[in-house]
Amino acid sequence: MSLGEQLKRLGPGLITGAADDDPSGIATYSQAGAQFGPTLLWTLVFSYPFMVAVQMLSARIGRVTGRGLIHSLGATLPRWVVLGLAALLFVTNTINVGADLAAMGEAAALLAGRAQLAFTVAFALASLILQLWIPYHRYADYLRWLTLVLLSYVALLFMVKIDWATVAIGMLVPRLSSRDATTTIVAIFGTTISPYLFVWQASQEVEEIHRVPERKPLKQAPSQGEDALVRIRWDTFVGMAVSNIVGLAIMLGTAATLHAAGQVNIASAADAAKALQPVAGNLAFAIFSLGIIGTGMLAVPVLAGSSAYAICEIGGWRASLEHRPMRAKAFYAVIALGVVLGLSIEWTPLSPIKALFWSAVVNGIVAVPVLAGMMVAVSRRSVMADYTAPLALKVLGWLTTFLMGATALAMVIF
């Protein structure tokens, strides 16, 4: 199979990985690079196999069962637990939507010199309209092309001077230099392994089944299994690699510029863009700012959409970006509610940074039962038929569950 054909097979995994680098993630990586230099680069190398395993398991559930992740969790967890997890997912996703929209508006205002609120509202409306009126088969293509905006952060590395020997040490040698560094590590793990990403990738595999008439859930069409699982592996390996390479580029770029210049206090992605201008120049500032806007346009639909998939799976309502709004009223109502409530944070005294911190805490806690339920589901033949997870994925999946449990505990302690 040619490289061009392989690239065409990228889809849910690539979009999920790219959405992981949303403006709140950019803020976390920027803060890590500015405050600690290259010493925490190892976290993104360390987390890569765990991200791949979890997202591959999520995709596997969607492709095998033809149903979303929350539906499968219903077979392993009490209904009240699943309801609570879906409610918490909606709350944390909505806070993230609000923070991402605010960061996008601030970045646009930095470039234009004015009208932050107007830009924030415009981005919210644009994202909502795209989700409401563009069917999935076209929308997925739009999201795939939008992942190219992430290259802007890789381009940043060609504009700054980098000590590659120090970088190699930072990537390969784990270090814990202080209590603040431990807290930042917790934040990095929290932003790279999040429940909304599990829900989204599983649901997108279901959307892909509906998009291609010949495709059926693997429980019904086992002859499609080998090709489907090869595609999922390729898609997920590449998607998570894109996610972590971009994270490394952001952390490294801010380490080589802001940390080197003593600019260590970064509270948001827009703060990082502003701090870059006098240190790295106008081009680096513009690239960083445009990247915030582009990644936000990619992440907001994923955040709002994952909430809608989760809630509609519990309610038994139609949930598909391929349907028109009148055919999936509950699904699009949840999406619209998430975007509107997220936007409304702009008019509250709630600090977006504090809101993001607490949403990260909740995400870290929610991830543990979601992962545990998912691991039980992928091990049951009643759920997965002949496609239960292989041993290597089970081991990595349970290790990830333990890691996120430790992360959640660290969030509470620190």
Side-chain angles (χ1 to χ4, degrees), residues 136-166:
Y136 174 79
H137 67 276
R138 290 170 53 198
Y139 192 68
D141 289 338
Y142 153 74
L143 291 177
R144 269 193 288 267
W145 281 108
L146 196 53
T147 61
L148 293 175
V149 76
L150 296 174
L151 295 176
S152 62
Y153 291 112
V154 179
L156 182 65
L157 299 184
F158 294 94
M159 303 178 191
V160 297
K161 185 177 180 180
I162 295 173
D163 181 351
W164 291 105
T166 303

PDB file of all heavy atoms in Angstrom, residues 136-166:
ATOM      1  N   TYR A 136     -21.286  14.491   8.576  1.00  0.00           N
ATOM      2  CA  TYR A 136     -20.034  13.930   9.073  1.00  0.00           C
ATOM      3  C   TYR A 136     -19.016  13.665   7.974  1.00  0.00           C
ATOM      4  O   TYR A 136     -17.829  13.943   8.148  1.00  0.00           O
ATOM      5  CB  TYR A 136     -20.301  12.619   9.838  1.00  0.00           C
ATOM      6  CG  TYR A 136     -19.018  11.940  10.252  1.00  0.00           C
ATOM      7  CD1 TYR A 136     -18.314  12.391  11.359  1.00  0.00           C
ATOM      8  CD2 TYR A 136     -18.485  10.879   9.514  1.00  0.00           C
ATOM      9  CE1 TYR A 136     -17.118  11.799  11.725  1.00  0.00           C
ATOM     10  CE2 TYR A 136     -17.297  10.282   9.876  1.00  0.00           C
ATOM     11  CZ  TYR A 136     -16.607  10.748  10.984  1.00  0.00           C
ATOM     12  OH  TYR A 136     -15.421  10.173  11.328  1.00  0.00           O
ATOM     13  N   HIS A 137     -19.449  13.097   6.827  1.00  0.00           N
ATOM     14  CA  HIS A 137     -18.466  12.714   5.807  1.00  0.00           C
ATOM     15  C   HIS A 137     -17.687  13.915   5.290  1.00  0.00           C
ATOM     16  O   HIS A 137     -16.542  13.784   4.876  1.00  0.00           O
ATOM     17  CB  HIS A 137     -19.154  11.963   4.649  1.00  0.00           C
ATOM     18  CG  HIS A 137     -20.096  12.800   3.838  1.00  0.00           C
ATOM     19  ND1 HIS A 137     -21.412  13.016   4.215  1.00  0.00           N
ATOM     20  CD2 HIS A 137     -19.914  13.488   2.677  1.00  0.00           C
ATOM     21  CE1 HIS A 137     -22.003  13.784   3.304  1.00  0.00           C
ATOM     22  NE2 HIS A 137     -21.129  14.085   2.370  1.00  0.00           N
ATOM     23  N   ARG A 138     -18.296  15.104   5.321  1.00  0.00           N
ATOM     24  CA  ARG A 138     -17.563  16.320   4.950  1.00  0.00           C
ATOM     25  C   ARG A 138     -16.864  16.931   6.148  1.00  0.00           C
ATOM     26  O   ARG A 138     -15.761  17.467   6.042  1.00  0.00           O
ATOM     27  CB  ARG A 138     -18.529  17.342   4.334  1.00  0.00           C
ATOM     28  CG  ARG A 138     -19.041  16.938   2.949  1.00  0.00           C
ATOM     29  CD  ARG A 138     -20.160  17.847   2.491  1.00  0.00           C
ATOM     30  NE  ARG A 138     -19.785  19.252   2.550  1.00  0.00           N
ATOM     31  CZ  ARG A 138     -20.670  20.256   2.539  1.00  0.00           C
ATOM     32  NH1 ARG A 138     -21.963  19.978   2.499  1.00  0.00           N
ATOM     33  NH2 ARG A 138     -20.265  21.502   2.571  1.00  0.00           N
ATOM     34  N   TYR A 139     -17.501  16.847   7.303  1.00  0.00           N
ATOM     35  CA  TYR A 139     -16.952  17.444   8.518  1.00  0.00           C
ATOM     36  C   TYR A 139     -15.640  16.757   8.919  1.00  0.00           C
ATOM     37  O   TYR A 139     -14.685  17.409   9.344  1.00  0.00           O
ATOM     38  CB  TYR A 139     -17.983  17.312   9.636  1.00  0.00           C
ATOM     39  CG  TYR A 139     -17.679  18.131  10.855  1.00  0.00           C
ATOM     40  CD1 TYR A 139     -17.735  19.514  10.801  1.00  0.00           C
ATOM     41  CD2 TYR A 139     -17.334  17.534  12.071  1.00  0.00           C
ATOM     42  CE1 TYR A 139     -17.471  20.280  11.919  1.00  0.00           C
ATOM     43  CE2 TYR A 139     -17.069  18.287  13.183  1.00  0.00           C
ATOM     44  CZ  TYR A 139     -17.129  19.659  13.108  1.00  0.00           C
ATOM     45  OH  TYR A 139     -16.860  20.423  14.201  1.00  0.00           O
ATOM     46  N   ALA A 140     -15.588  15.419   8.774  1.00  0.00           N
ATOM     47  CA  ALA A 140     -14.378  14.683   9.126  1.00  0.00           C
ATOM     48  C   ALA A 140     -13.210  15.111   8.241  1.00  0.00           C
ATOM     49  O   ALA A 140     -12.071  15.233   8.709  1.00  0.00           O
ATOM     50  CB  ALA A 140     -14.627  13.179   8.993  1.00  0.00           C
ATOM     51  N   ASP A 141     -13.487  15.348   6.962  1.00  0.00           N
ATOM     52  CA  ASP A 141     -12.427  15.834   6.064  1.00  0.00           C
ATOM     53  C   ASP A 141     -11.931  17.210   6.496  1.00  0.00           C
ATOM     54  O   ASP A 141     -10.727  17.483   6.483  1.00  0.00           O
ATOM     55  CB  ASP A 141     -12.942  15.894   4.623  1.00  0.00           C
ATOM     56  CG  ASP A 141     -13.130  14.518   4.014  1.00  0.00           C
ATOM     57  OD1 ASP A 141     -12.499  13.567   4.507  1.00  0.00           O
ATOM     58  OD2 ASP A 141     -13.913  14.394   3.057  1.00  0.00           O
ATOM     59  N   TYR A 142     -12.860  18.067   6.884  1.00  0.00           N
ATOM     60  CA  TYR A 142     -12.489  19.398   7.378  1.00  0.00           C
ATOM     61  C   TYR A 142     -11.583  19.287   8.606  1.00  0.00           C
ATOM     62  O   TYR A 142     -10.557  19.967   8.714  1.00  0.00           O
ATOM     63  CB  TYR A 142     -13.768  20.180   7.707  1.00  0.00           C
ATOM     64  CG  TYR A 142     -13.620  21.247   8.762  1.00  0.00           C
ATOM     65  CD1 TYR A 142     -12.971  22.450   8.493  1.00  0.00           C
ATOM     66  CD2 TYR A 142     -14.141  21.047  10.047  1.00  0.00           C
ATOM     67  CE1 TYR A 142     -12.835  23.422   9.471  1.00  0.00           C
ATOM     68  CE2 TYR A 142     -14.020  22.018  11.017  1.00  0.00           C
ATOM     69  CZ  TYR A 142     -13.361  23.199  10.732  1.00  0.00           C
ATOM     70  OH  TYR A 142     -13.227  24.149  11.702  1.00  0.00           O
ATOM     71  N   LEU A 143     -11.933  18.406   9.534  1.00  0.00           N
ATOM     72  CA  LEU A 143     -11.124  18.235  10.741  1.00  0.00           C
ATOM     73  C   LEU A 143      -9.752  17.660  10.412  1.00  0.00           C
ATOM     74  O   LEU A 143      -8.745  18.056  11.013  1.00  0.00           O
ATOM     75  CB  LEU A 143     -11.838  17.339  11.748  1.00  0.00           C
ATOM     76  CG  LEU A 143     -13.104  17.926  12.399  1.00  0.00           C
ATOM     77  CD1 LEU A 143     -13.752  16.897  13.315  1.00  0.00           C
ATOM     78  CD2 LEU A 143     -12.786  19.190  13.186  1.00  0.00           C
ATOM     79  N   ARG A 144      -9.701  16.729   9.451  1.00  0.00           N
ATOM     80  CA  ARG A 144      -8.403  16.155   9.068  1.00  0.00           C
ATOM     81  C   ARG A 144      -7.472  17.234   8.521  1.00  0.00           C
ATOM     82  O   ARG A 144      -6.292  17.291   8.863  1.00  0.00           O
ATOM     83  CB  ARG A 144      -8.607  15.047   8.029  1.00  0.00           C
ATOM     84  CG  ARG A 144      -8.778  13.662   8.633  1.00  0.00           C
ATOM     85  CD  ARG A 144      -8.645  12.590   7.573  1.00  0.00           C
ATOM     86  NE  ARG A 144      -9.789  12.567   6.685  1.00  0.00           N
ATOM     87  CZ  ARG A 144     -10.846  11.792   6.864  1.00  0.00           C
ATOM     88  NH1 ARG A 144     -10.896  10.984   7.908  1.00  0.00           N
ATOM     89  NH2 ARG A 144     -11.851  11.812   6.022  1.00  0.00           N
ATOM     90  N   TRP A 145      -8.008  18.089   7.648  1.00  0.00           N
ATOM     91  CA  TRP A 145      -7.179  19.159   7.090  1.00  0.00           C
ATOM     92  C   TRP A 145      -6.768  20.160   8.169  1.00  0.00           C
ATOM     93  O   TRP A 145      -5.672  20.715   8.142  1.00  0.00           O
ATOM     94  CB  TRP A 145      -7.924  19.879   5.959  1.00  0.00           C
ATOM     95  CG  TRP A 145      -7.891  19.121   4.667  1.00  0.00           C
ATOM     96  CD1 TRP A 145      -8.914  18.455   4.072  1.00  0.00           C
ATOM     97  CD2 TRP A 145      -6.755  18.941   3.811  1.00  0.00           C
ATOM     98  NE1 TRP A 145      -8.500  17.861   2.902  1.00  0.00           N
ATOM     99  CE2 TRP A 145      -7.179  18.153   2.710  1.00  0.00           C
ATOM    100  CE3 TRP A 145      -5.430  19.371   3.866  1.00  0.00           C
ATOM    101  CZ2 TRP A 145      -6.320  17.781   1.682  1.00  0.00           C
ATOM    102  CZ3 TRP A 145      -4.563  18.996   2.835  1.00  0.00           C
ATOM    103  CH2 TRP A 145      -5.015  18.222   1.761  1.00  0.00           C
ATOM    104  N   LEU A 146      -7.644  20.366   9.134  1.00  0.00           N
ATOM    105  CA  LEU A 146      -7.346  21.333  10.190  1.00  0.00           C
ATOM    106  C   LEU A 146      -6.184  20.880  11.066  1.00  0.00           C
ATOM    107  O   LEU A 146      -5.527  21.705  11.704  1.00  0.00           O
ATOM    108  CB  LEU A 146      -8.602  21.576  11.040  1.00  0.00           C
ATOM    109  CG  LEU A 146      -8.615  22.819  11.945  1.00  0.00           C
ATOM    110  CD1 LEU A 146      -8.293  24.088  11.167  1.00  0.00           C
ATOM    111  CD2 LEU A 146      -9.980  22.951  12.622  1.00  0.00           C
ATOM    112  N   THR A 147      -5.915  19.564  11.105  1.00  0.00           N
ATOM    113  CA  THR A 147      -4.784  19.093  11.903  1.00  0.00           C
ATOM    114  C   THR A 147      -3.453  19.654  11.394  1.00  0.00           C
ATOM    115  O   THR A 147      -2.472  19.700  12.140  1.00  0.00           O
ATOM    116  CB  THR A 147      -4.699  17.555  11.905  1.00  0.00           C
ATOM    117  OG1 THR A 147      -4.508  17.084  10.566  1.00  0.00           O
ATOM    118  CG2 THR A 147      -5.959  16.941  12.487  1.00  0.00           C
ATOM    119  N   LEU A 148      -3.420  20.110  10.153  1.00  0.00           N
ATOM    120  CA  LEU A 148      -2.176  20.661   9.601  1.00  0.00           C
ATOM    121  C   LEU A 148      -1.724  21.922  10.335  1.00  0.00           C
ATOM    122  O   LEU A 148      -0.555  22.287  10.285  1.00  0.00           O
ATOM    123  CB  LEU A 148      -2.346  20.971   8.106  1.00  0.00           C
ATOM    124  CG  LEU A 148      -2.547  19.758   7.187  1.00  0.00           C
ATOM    125  CD1 LEU A 148      -2.820  20.219   5.754  1.00  0.00           C
ATOM    126  CD2 LEU A 148      -1.328  18.847   7.227  1.00  0.00           C
ATOM    127  N   VAL A 149      -2.664  22.585  11.029  1.00  0.00           N
ATOM    128  CA  VAL A 149      -2.288  23.784  11.765  1.00  0.00           C
ATOM    129  C   VAL A 149      -1.269  23.464  12.845  1.00  0.00           C
ATOM    130  O   VAL A 149      -0.482  24.334  13.257  1.00  0.00           O
ATOM    131  CB  VAL A 149      -3.542  24.458  12.378  1.00  0.00           C
ATOM    132  CG1 VAL A 149      -4.035  23.693  13.597  1.00  0.00           C
ATOM    133  CG2 VAL A 149      -3.249  25.905  12.763  1.00  0.00           C
ATOM    134  N   LEU A 150      -1.220  22.216  13.283  1.00  0.00           N
ATOM    135  CA  LEU A 150      -0.278  21.832  14.318  1.00  0.00           C
ATOM    136  C   LEU A 150       1.172  21.941  13.846  1.00  0.00           C
ATOM    137  O   LEU A 150       2.094  22.051  14.660  1.00  0.00           O
ATOM    138  CB  LEU A 150      -0.557  20.407  14.791  1.00  0.00           C
ATOM    139  CG  LEU A 150      -1.912  20.179  15.469  1.00  0.00           C
ATOM    140  CD1 LEU A 150      -2.114  18.702  15.758  1.00  0.00           C
ATOM    141  CD2 LEU A 150      -2.016  20.979  16.756  1.00  0.00           C
ATOM    142  N   LEU A 151       1.369  21.918  12.536  1.00  0.00           N
ATOM    143  CA  LEU A 151       2.729  22.056  12.007  1.00  0.00           C
ATOM    144  C   LEU A 151       3.342  23.412  12.361  1.00  0.00           C
ATOM    145  O   LEU A 151       4.561  23.571  12.355  1.00  0.00           O
ATOM    146  CB  LEU A 151       2.727  21.869  10.484  1.00  0.00           C
ATOM    147  CG  LEU A 151       2.336  20.475   9.975  1.00  0.00           C
ATOM    148  CD1 LEU A 151       2.289  20.471   8.447  1.00  0.00           C
ATOM    149  CD2 LEU A 151       3.328  19.427  10.480  1.00  0.00           C
ATOM    150  N   SER A 152       2.481  24.383  12.687  1.00  0.00           N
ATOM    151  CA  SER A 152       3.002  25.708  13.033  1.00  0.00           C
ATOM    152  C   SER A 152       3.887  25.634  14.265  1.00  0.00           C
ATOM    153  O   SER A 152       4.880  26.371  14.368  1.00  0.00           O
ATOM    154  CB  SER A 152       1.844  26.686  13.270  1.00  0.00           C
ATOM    155  OG  SER A 152       1.045  26.275  14.366  1.00  0.00           O
ATOM    156  N   TYR A 153       3.565  24.750  15.191  1.00  0.00           N
ATOM    157  CA  TYR A 153       4.376  24.640  16.400  1.00  0.00           C
ATOM    158  C   TYR A 153       5.690  23.916  16.140  1.00  0.00           C
ATOM    159  O   TYR A 153       6.697  24.190  16.789  1.00  0.00           O
ATOM    160  CB  TYR A 153       3.578  23.945  17.505  1.00  0.00           C
ATOM    161  CG  TYR A 153       2.459  24.829  17.991  1.00  0.00           C
ATOM    162  CD1 TYR A 153       1.130  24.503  17.756  1.00  0.00           C
ATOM    163  CD2 TYR A 153       2.728  26.031  18.635  1.00  0.00           C
ATOM    164  CE1 TYR A 153       0.107  25.331  18.176  1.00  0.00           C
ATOM    165  CE2 TYR A 153       1.706  26.869  19.051  1.00  0.00           C
ATOM    166  CZ  TYR A 153       0.403  26.516  18.825  1.00  0.00           C
ATOM    167  OH  TYR A 153      -0.602  27.354  19.224  1.00  0.00           O
ATOM    168  N   VAL A 154       5.696  22.998  15.196  1.00  0.00           N
ATOM    169  CA  VAL A 154       6.949  22.366  14.792  1.00  0.00           C
ATOM    170  C   VAL A 154       7.829  23.390  14.077  1.00  0.00           C
ATOM    171  O   VAL A 154       9.054  23.432  14.275  1.00  0.00           O
ATOM    172  CB  VAL A 154       6.675  21.145  13.897  1.00  0.00           C
ATOM    173  CG1 VAL A 154       7.985  20.506  13.448  1.00  0.00           C
ATOM    174  CG2 VAL A 154       5.813  20.128  14.636  1.00  0.00           C
ATOM    175  N   ALA A 155       7.195  24.252  13.260  1.00  0.00           N
ATOM    176  CA  ALA A 155       7.948  25.294  12.550  1.00  0.00           C
ATOM    177  C   ALA A 155       8.646  26.243  13.514  1.00  0.00           C
ATOM    178  O   ALA A 155       9.720  26.787  13.209  1.00  0.00           O
ATOM    179  CB  ALA A 155       7.008  26.083  11.636  1.00  0.00           C
ATOM    180  N   LEU A 156       8.059  26.430  14.693  1.00  0.00           N
ATOM    181  CA  LEU A 156       8.646  27.319  15.697  1.00  0.00           C
ATOM    182  C   LEU A 156      10.060  26.878  16.076  1.00  0.00           C
ATOM    183  O   LEU A 156      10.928  27.714  16.368  1.00  0.00           O
ATOM    184  CB  LEU A 156       7.748  27.346  16.940  1.00  0.00           C
ATOM    185  CG  LEU A 156       8.163  28.251  18.101  1.00  0.00           C
ATOM    186  CD1 LEU A 156       8.118  29.717  17.679  1.00  0.00           C
ATOM    187  CD2 LEU A 156       7.253  28.024  19.303  1.00  0.00           C
ATOM    188  N   LEU A 157      10.316  25.575  16.031  1.00  0.00           N
ATOM    189  CA  LEU A 157      11.623  25.063  16.427  1.00  0.00           C
ATOM    190  C   LEU A 157      12.738  25.502  15.480  1.00  0.00           C
ATOM    191  O   LEU A 157      13.906  25.534  15.859  1.00  0.00           O
ATOM    192  CB  LEU A 157      11.587  23.527  16.498  1.00  0.00           C
ATOM    193  CG  LEU A 157      10.617  22.915  17.507  1.00  0.00           C
ATOM    194  CD1 LEU A 157      10.756  21.399  17.526  1.00  0.00           C
ATOM    195  CD2 LEU A 157      10.861  23.484  18.896  1.00  0.00           C
ATOM    196  N   PHE A 158      12.365  25.822  14.231  1.00  0.00           N
ATOM    197  CA  PHE A 158      13.370  26.249  13.256  1.00  0.00           C
ATOM    198  C   PHE A 158      13.723  27.731  13.410  1.00  0.00           C
ATOM    199  O   PHE A 158      14.591  28.238  12.702  1.00  0.00           O
ATOM    200  CB  PHE A 158      12.867  25.978  11.836  1.00  0.00           C
ATOM    201  CG  PHE A 158      12.725  24.514  11.524  1.00  0.00           C
ATOM    202  CD1 PHE A 158      11.507  23.870  11.690  1.00  0.00           C
ATOM    203  CD2 PHE A 158      13.809  23.766  11.098  1.00  0.00           C
ATOM    204  CE1 PHE A 158      11.367  22.511  11.423  1.00  0.00           C
ATOM    205  CE2 PHE A 158      13.686  22.409  10.825  1.00  0.00           C
ATOM    206  CZ  PHE A 158      12.457  21.781  10.990  1.00  0.00           C
ATOM    207  N   MET A 159      13.057  28.415  14.335  1.00  0.00           N
ATOM    208  CA  MET A 159      13.291  29.845  14.533  1.00  0.00           C
ATOM    209  C   MET A 159      14.102  30.150  15.787  1.00  0.00           C
ATOM    210  O   MET A 159      14.423  31.291  16.048  1.00  0.00           O
ATOM    211  CB  MET A 159      11.948  30.588  14.628  1.00  0.00           C
ATOM    212  CG  MET A 159      11.053  30.389  13.444  1.00  0.00           C
ATOM    213  SD  MET A 159       9.480  31.249  13.659  1.00  0.00           S
ATOM    214  CE  MET A 159       8.561  30.558  12.285  1.00  0.00           C
ATOM    215  N   VAL A 160      14.376  29.113  16.579  1.00  0.00           N
ATOM    216  CA  VAL A 160      15.066  29.343  17.847  1.00  0.00           C
ATOM    217  C   VAL A 160      16.293  28.456  17.935  1.00  0.00           C
ATOM    218  O   VAL A 160      16.399  27.428  17.259  1.00  0.00           O
ATOM    219  CB  VAL A 160      14.124  29.063  19.043  1.00  0.00           C
ATOM    220  CG1 VAL A 160      12.938  30.020  19.024  1.00  0.00           C
ATOM    221  CG2 VAL A 160      13.635  27.625  19.053  1.00  0.00           C
ATOM    222  N   LYS A 161      17.218  28.875  18.779  1.00  0.00           N
ATOM    223  CA  LYS A 161      18.445  28.111  18.991  1.00  0.00           C
ATOM    224  C   LYS A 161      18.195  27.063  20.063  1.00  0.00           C
ATOM    225  O   LYS A 161      17.724  27.371  21.151  1.00  0.00           O
ATOM    226  CB  LYS A 161      19.576  29.038  19.425  1.00  0.00           C
ATOM    227  CG  LYS A 161      20.925  28.350  19.547  1.00  0.00           C
ATOM    228  CD  LYS A 161      22.017  29.333  19.909  1.00  0.00           C
ATOM    229  CE  LYS A 161      23.359  28.615  20.026  1.00  0.00           C
ATOM    230  NZ  LYS A 161      24.452  29.557  20.391  1.00  0.00           N
ATOM    231  N   ILE A 162      18.547  25.812  19.757  1.00  0.00           N
ATOM    232  CA  ILE A 162      18.243  24.703  20.666  1.00  0.00           C
ATOM    233  C   ILE A 162      19.515  23.911  20.960  1.00  0.00           C
ATOM    234  O   ILE A 162      20.280  23.584  20.053  1.00  0.00           O
ATOM    235  CB  ILE A 162      17.174  23.775  20.059  1.00  0.00           C
ATOM    236  CG1 ILE A 162      15.845  24.534  19.917  1.00  0.00           C
ATOM    237  CG2 ILE A 162      16.984  22.519  20.897  1.00  0.00           C
ATOM    238  CD1 ILE A 162      14.787  23.772  19.185  1.00  0.00           C
ATOM    239  N   ASP A 163      19.722  23.598  22.224  1.00  0.00           N
ATOM    240  CA  ASP A 163      20.815  22.736  22.664  1.00  0.00           C
ATOM    241  C   ASP A 163      20.306  21.296  22.635  1.00  0.00           C
ATOM    242  O   ASP A 163      19.675  20.831  23.576  1.00  0.00           O
ATOM    243  CB  ASP A 163      21.260  23.132  24.082  1.00  0.00           C
ATOM    244  CG  ASP A 163      22.419  22.289  24.593  1.00  0.00           C
ATOM    245  OD1 ASP A 163      22.767  21.290  23.933  1.00  0.00           O
ATOM    246  OD2 ASP A 163      22.963  22.620  25.664  1.00  0.00           O
ATOM    247  N   TRP A 164      20.578  20.584  21.540  1.00  0.00           N
ATOM    248  CA  TRP A 164      19.987  19.267  21.334  1.00  0.00           C
ATOM    249  C   TRP A 164      20.508  18.220  22.309  1.00  0.00           C
ATOM    250  O   TRP A 164      19.806  17.256  22.615  1.00  0.00           O
ATOM    251  CB  TRP A 164      20.200  18.811  19.895  1.00  0.00           C
ATOM    252  CG  TRP A 164      19.387  19.625  18.930  1.00  0.00           C
ATOM    253  CD1 TRP A 164      19.824  20.602  18.088  1.00  0.00           C
ATOM    254  CD2 TRP A 164      17.960  19.550  18.755  1.00  0.00           C
ATOM    255  NE1 TRP A 164      18.773  21.140  17.391  1.00  0.00           N
ATOM    256  CE2 TRP A 164      17.619  20.518  17.759  1.00  0.00           C
ATOM    257  CE3 TRP A 164      16.959  18.771  19.322  1.00  0.00           C
ATOM    258  CZ2 TRP A 164      16.308  20.711  17.347  1.00  0.00           C
ATOM    259  CZ3 TRP A 164      15.650  18.968  18.908  1.00  0.00           C
ATOM    260  CH2 TRP A 164      15.331  19.923  17.931  1.00  0.00           C
ATOM    261  N   ALA A 165      21.729  18.398  22.826  1.00  0.00           N
ATOM    262  CA  ALA A 165      22.246  17.457  23.822  1.00  0.00           C
ATOM    263  C   ALA A 165      21.415  17.540  25.103  1.00  0.00           C
ATOM    264  O   ALA A 165      21.042  16.519  25.697  1.00  0.00           O
ATOM    265  CB  ALA A 165      23.713  17.751  24.116  1.00  0.00           C
ATOM    266  N   THR A 166      21.083  18.770  25.518  1.00  0.00           N
ATOM    267  CA  THR A 166      20.243  18.964  26.704  1.00  0.00           C
ATOM    268  C   THR A 166      18.838  18.427  26.456  1.00  0.00           C
ATOM    269  O   THR A 166      18.205  17.853  27.350  1.00  0.00           O
ATOM    270  CB  THR A 166      20.182  20.456  27.071  1.00  0.00           C
ATOM    271  OG1 THR A 166      21.513  20.942  27.276  1.00  0.00           O
ATOM    272  CG2 THR A 166      19.368  20.679  28.332  1.00  0.00           C
TER     273      THR A 166
END
